[in-house]
Amino acid sequence: MRPMAQIAMVMNLDKCIGCHTCSVSCKEAWTDRQGMEHVWFNNVETRPGQGYPRRYEDQERWRGGWRLNRRGALKPTAGGRLRKLAGIFSPPELPATEDYEEPWTYDHTNRAGAPAHGDLDPVAERARRQASDKVRNEFEQTFMFYLPRICEHCLNPSCVASCPSGAMYKRAEDGVVLVDQDRCRGWRMCVTGCPYKKVYFNDRTGKAEKCTLCAPRIEAGLPTVCSETCVGRLRYLGVVLYDADKVTAAASVPREQDLYEAQLDVFLDPEDTRVRRACEAAGIPDDWLAAARRSPVHALISKYRVALPLHPEYRTMPMVWYIPPLSPVVEALTETGHDGEDARNLFGAIDALRIPLEYLAEMFTAGDVGPVRSALERLAAMRSHMRAVNLGEDPDPSVSAAVGMGVYEIEEMYRLLSVAEYADRYVIPTAAVGDARRLEESALTQGCSLDYEGGPGSGGDGPFGRGSGRKLLPLTPVEKFHILGERRTADHTADVEET
């Protein structure tokens, strides 16, 4: 066993209203500068739809992620070292500007939704082949939901494996995947290698850039900007422990439908005494172990098993998971005059959901409908049980038993999904202030490779935002981030001493 810790995220799709507040706040914080006009580290997609960039899920075209060779070993879909060496001076397979779309003014006539563009959705294409009578794009049969997306910060990132210069790396302390701007040489193979197309090329600086999971905020124990500004409170952040020795084997299971369970087996139980001893021996700090025990992400993924990975068939072991949407079932039942909160009605209606289970399964479980149905049934049982509690009725214990949960578990899951407070949704251990200060001093003395005379890092509109040169933008001390974190959890802002 080789335990490691990872900061992971879960998003509850039942709560997303598609307002794009997360996207706009991320844009302002990270990509509001020249060369990044087309870049959205966080974007919200309407499903079914083509996604961003268009049809990014079509790996026959983009060749992202991993595949198994004839010997059953993992190989990048884009090709191994010899293939990359042979084409190192030719442009890799990249989305064009029109795939990202240039800025535009919304036109309701020419930019219709799913009825016009649903046929172009790669997931719908695969689901339609399996259930042609369930996935239709006529207006009266249209279904939709919103899917927020960021970098998956995978356990087995194909973007890191694709980088010839070694600029892409996964941090050992928290699992965040980053780009070393000094080492990046602009080969762009990481863009091809990422199956989620969440690595972007800045043609102004000639460097690759991507979501950092708001690393400076995470180090100070603060949630990401997209999480902080989400009006639906649908995002959860926490620590997940996993066995690094099992990652390759889990990503190499022959059947794609087994990848979900294989990734679950990689995760470690922080309550297990043997796991805790191994973590202590591996040097994982005590506060990280404590955070792992309180982690809402671990609870939703491994304990309650209502969160699912996005496209596990890419074999990257993604670490941003999703709770599938249940709301359309309740609404559809209510419109027919039935009790939309009754467990018996809900369980029977899940298979008749306007969003076909096959479509959700193609997104979250490589086509295996079982885990999707199980997650929706648990959400339905929670909704029915809590309706009885709120009405002062005696809950039927058979409802929770039908989904393999106890009454206490149902109510605990409800508290986490519905009424969790700030400190329960974001359980993030802080980095050591001393280490952060050392890194800041190193940056001040060494500078950046973009800080040459007249270069994009020498002042003005540089690579880190407007006026981002060292002469104009002093580094913010990490203590300031800790003060902000205390402000968010203090009863009165006056109780926090300003420094």
Side-chain angles (χ1 to χ4, degrees):
M1 181 190 301
R2 185 160 59 95
M4 297 189 74
Q6 165 102 27
I7 297 291
M9 181 182 288
V10 167
M11 302 192 204
N12 187 354
L13 298 184
D14 243 353
K15 292 185 175 183
C16 185
I17 61 175
C19 66
H20 292 271
T21 304
C22 53
S23 301
V24 173
S25 59
C26 176
K27 184 72 175 175
E28 289 294 319
W30 291 103
T31 64
D32 184 20
R33 59 187 183 277
Q34 293 183 357
M36 303 290 279
E37 291 83 2
H38 67 291
V39 174
W40 296 85
F41 286 172
N42 183 107
N43 69 284
V44 181
E45 300 170 358
T46 302
R47 306 312 301 254
Q50 300 182 67
Y52 175 83
R54 290 176 177 170
R55 293 179 60 84
Y56 72 90
E57 293 156 306
D58 184 2
Q59 302 311 326
E60 294 297 324
R61 176 183 181 186
W62 300 120
R63 303 180 63 80
W66 302 89
R67 62 175 178 83
L68 296 180
N69 63 13
R70 294 179 180 177
R71 297 188 300 275
L74 285 173
K75 294 294 180 183
T77 305
R81 294 180 180 178
L82 292 178
R83 180 185 178 90
K84 291 178 181 177
L85 182 62
I88 196 167
F89 294 110
S90 59
E93 189 68 46
L94 300 173
T97 303
E98 55 268 23
D99 294 313
Y100 292 105
E101 292 205 30
E102 298 180 4
W104 46 270
T105 300
Y106 198 89
D107 181 351
H108 287 272
T109 303
N110 299 319
R111 294 189 178 274
H117 300 291
D119 287 330
L120 301 176
D121 181 350
V123 177
E125 289 178 0
R126 293 194 296 271
R128 192 180 297 111
R129 288 195 292 267
Q130 299 180 19
S132 58
D133 60 327
K134 291 188 177 182
V135 183
R136 304 174 182 172
N137 286 306
E138 291 85 356
F139 183 79
E140 66 276 8
Q141 293 294 330
T142 297
F143 60 91
M144 60 166 285
F145 61 95
Y146 298 109
L147 180 75
R149 290 203 308 120
I150 64 172
C151 169
E152 296 285 334
H153 296 278
C154 306
L155 297 182
N156 185 38
S158 53
C159 58
V160 173
S162 300
C163 179
S165 59
M168 300 279 294
Y169 66 100
K170 184 175 180 64
R171 291 206 306 197
E173 59 268 31
D174 57 12
V176 177
V177 178
L178 299 172
V179 183
D180 185 336
Q181 295 287 291
D182 285 339
R183 299 186 66 179
C184 180
R185 296 294 177 263
W187 293 112
R188 296 167 292 171
M189 293 182 182
C190 53
V191 181
T192 301
C194 174
Y196 304 96
K197 290 296 172 281
K198 277 298 176 181
V199 183
Y200 303 90
F201 181 69
N202 186 330
D203 56 11
R204 172 70 181 265
T205 63
K207 307 284 186 177
E209 300 192 37
K210 62 177 293 298
C211 162
T212 65
L213 203 65
C214 291
R217 294 174 58 90
I218 292 291
E219 291 164 2
L222 296 176
T224 61
V225 170
C226 58
S227 300
E228 186 85 81
T229 59
C230 175
V231 299
R233 299 183 179 182
L234 61 93
R235 299 177 189 238
Y236 299 80
L237 282 163
V239 176
V240 173
L241 301 176
Y242 68 96
D243 187 352
D245 288 337
K246 291 185 176 180
V247 170
T248 301
S252 304
V253 296
R255 289 183 72 248
E256 292 181 343
Q257 291 75 18
D258 295 333
L259 286 164
Y260 164 64
E261 291 289 344
Q263 187 167 357
L264 284 179
D265 290 339
V266 170
F267 298 144
L268 300 174
D269 182 3
E271 299 291 349
D272 190 323
T273 304
R274 188 173 63 93
V275 169
R276 292 164 64 180
R277 284 199 298 263
C279 289
E280 292 171 359
I284 297 177
D286 291 340
D287 58 337
W288 281 70
L289 289 177
R293 297 175 67 183
R294 293 182 49 235
S295 171
V297 174
H298 169 75
L300 294 171
I301 291 176
S302 299
K303 183 178 180 181
Y304 304 131
R305 297 187 67 154
V306 292
L308 303 169
L310 181 64
H311 291 300
E313 69 272 17
Y314 298 159
R315 301 180 182 273
T316 60
M317 303 279 114
M319 290 302 289
V320 176
W321 288 41
Y322 296 86
I323 299 174
L326 176 68
S327 293
V329 183
V330 180
E331 295 167 0
L333 282 174
T334 303
E335 290 173 359
T336 61
H338 293 84
D339 185 352
E341 302 286 352
D342 184 86
R344 292 168 296 181
N345 294 337
L346 279 173
F347 289 164
I350 285 176
D351 284 318
L353 175 63
R354 180 172 285 188
I355 302 175
L357 292 181
E358 289 80 2
Y359 183 88
L360 295 174
E362 285 293 334
M363 292 187 62
F364 300 124
T365 53
D368 185 3
V369 173
V372 177
R373 180 186 288 109
S374 176
L376 292 176
E377 287 177 348
R378 292 189 168 206
L379 295 173
M382 179 193 72
R383 185 170 298 202
S384 178
H385 175 89
M386 293 310 303
R387 194 275 296 269
V389 171
N390 292 331
L391 293 178
E393 302 173 355
D394 292 330
D396 184 355
S398 66
V399 173
S400 57
V403 295
M405 300 179 72
V407 170
Y408 177 77
E409 284 183 300
I410 286 282
E411 295 180 357
E412 283 295 299
M413 184 170 72
Y414 166 78
R415 278 189 280 272
L416 182 57
L417 289 177
S418 302
V419 295
E421 296 182 353
Y422 187 96
D424 296 322
R425 288 183 285 120
Y426 311 129
V427 182
I428 310 167
T430 59
V433 175
D435 290 341
R437 173 61 65 191
R438 175 178 52 80
L439 293 173
E440 287 178 357
E441 292 173 352
S442 174
L444 283 171
T445 57
Q446 297 180 11
C448 172
S449 63
L450 300 176
D451 292 333
Y452 56 87
E453 183 65 29
S458 61
D461 292 337
F464 301 109
R466 293 172 180 168
S468 65
R470 280 190 296 156
K471 299 177 182 178
L472 301 177
L473 183 64
L475 288 171
T476 301
V478 73
E479 289 89 344
K480 186 68 174 179
F481 281 106
H482 285 289
I483 291 173
L484 293 175
E486 292 172 3
R487 275 185 175 178
R488 284 163 172 78
T489 56
D491 292 334
H492 305 286
T493 55
D495 295 339
V496 180
E497 181 180 354
E498 190 76 34
T499 60

